[in-house]
Amino acid sequence: MPASAAPKIITGNSNPALCAAIARRMSIHRGAKVELVDTRVERFNDGEIFVEVFENVRGEDMFIIQSTSNPANDNLMELLVMADALRRSSASRITAVIPYFGYARQDRRTKARTPITAKLVANMLVGAGIERVLTMDLHAAQIQGFFDIPVDNLYASPVFALDVAAQFAGRMDELMVVSPDVGGVARARELAKRIEAPLSIVDKRREKAGEVAEMTVIGDVTDKVCIIVDDICDTAGTLCKAAEVLIENGAKEVHSYITHGVLSGPACERITKSVMKSLVVTDSIAATAEVKATPNIRIVPTAPMFAQAILNISSGQSVSSLFELDTLMPIYEGTLGR
């Protein structure tokens, strides 16, 4: 059993702002101050990662908060080294809190002689001594089955539903949720159900990898305020093209809600020039200066949800209760719709 009633959190370099926010929210939820474990995560001259924990963690319930975003390899290795350091320091339990689970897009073999990196990363995490994973919006739900340890997959859709209700108050009857591809229909349907809006699909046809040859809108979007929902936005090419197609098919406005804003390469420039009125992403990936400077990108916080999930896991309470609006509304009060 843990030596203290409170979980202890530790972070690498991937998203320190989110980790600090989670600590603050945990302090609010518990009514007692939660601080990050004092740790040093540095590089040797040749790039090797060095971790030193300056506090006693023997018998403690430890939570490592680390997204495996860009630079994915460095951040993943930091997570593994931190887990090894905690395991060798006799931590009671090690939970990896991975807001953005990298390498998840390679979750199956799409052609001969290709890897399944999501399974490879799962094996590495378990091998490092991690006993539980907490993440958000896995690219494919079946990735949970790649682990032989418990995996709690949080969903951004309840938070998005709260934000939509705040942003589009008085216009809810104009909304239509849009899936940018057939594979994302389940995710889009979940948000559509929460905000009681109809559902449409943008069907993509590719002539070759990375190039969309044709897009067809399934459903009538005439005079609708369309909300595109997806889990990842990388270069934003397909997203911006989908927005154009929706406008061409009679949509009044297009907004997008994306869980993980990878936003690499020309993404910000494309989004700035896009017909999309807004792109909403979570802070699961630390925003770059370019992302923060893009006028039509808005960031919603995940710290309230992750903080409560960590507290629930530590105390043996339900995590799925966080999927309900009645549970989320009190902990998100005053943080959305701005």
Side-chain angles (χ1 to χ4, degrees), residues 299-312:
I299 300 172
V300 297
T302 58
M305 177 181 277
F306 275 111
Q308 191 61 56
I310 290 171
L311 291 172
N312 287 7

Side-chain angles (χ1 to χ4, degrees), residues 9 91 101 107 114 121 175 200 230-232 248 252 258 298:
I9 57 177
F101 189 95
D107 62 310
T114 57
V121 170
L175 301 183
S200 180
D230 208 353
D231 65 322
I232 296 174
E248 290 169 2
K252 186 188 299 184
I258 309 295
R298 187 162 54 85

Side-chain angles (χ1 to χ4, degrees), residues 178-249:
V178 179
S179 173
D181 53 49
V182 175
V185 170
R187 183 178 295 104
R189 186 186 295 119
E190 174 66 19
L191 180 61
K193 181 180 178 181
R194 288 181 181 276
I195 65 175
E196 298 181 347
L199 178 65
S200 180
I201 303 169
V202 175
D203 181 42
K204 294 183 297 191
R205 290 178 174 82
R206 298 182 187 269
E207 288 185 348
K208 56 183 178 180
E211 294 186 12
V212 177
E214 181 183 357
M215 283 187 169
T216 304
V217 178
I218 302 173
D220 185 8
V221 298
T222 305
D223 294 327
K224 290 290 187 179
V225 176
C226 292
I227 298 178
I228 301 174
V229 182
D230 208 353
D231 65 322
I232 296 174
C233 177
D234 192 347
T235 59
T238 301
L239 182 65
C240 292
K241 177 63 176 176
E244 292 175 9
V245 171
L246 289 169
I247 293 295
E248 290 169 2
N249 279 263

Side-chain angles (χ1 to χ4, degrees), residues 229-304:
V229 182
D230 208 353
D231 65 322
I232 296 174
C233 177
D234 192 347
T235 59
T238 301
L239 182 65
C240 292
K241 177 63 176 176
E244 292 175 9
V245 171
L246 289 169
I247 293 295
E248 290 169 2
N249 279 263
K252 186 188 299 184
E253 297 176 11
V254 178
H255 303 261
S256 295
Y257 278 77
I258 309 295
T259 306
H260 307 298
V262 176
L263 301 175
S264 60
C268 289
E269 181 182 357
R270 286 173 173 171
I271 292 164
T272 301
K273 297 177 180 178
S274 170
V275 297
M276 276 189 303
K277 295 199 71 174
S278 69
L279 167 62
V280 179
V281 298
T282 74
D283 56 359
S284 64
I285 296 174
T288 63
E290 188 178 11
V291 169
K292 293 177 182 177
T294 304
N296 51 345
I297 294 180
R298 187 162 54 85
I299 300 172
V300 297
T302 58

Side-chain angles (χ1 to χ4, degrees), residues 117-137:
T117 57
K119 173 58 176 172
L120 173 62
V121 170
N123 289 343
M124 293 167 68
L125 294 174
V126 174
I130 289 167
E131 299 167 68
R132 191 180 197 101
V133 171
L134 173 64
T135 187
M136 175 173 278
D137 273 355

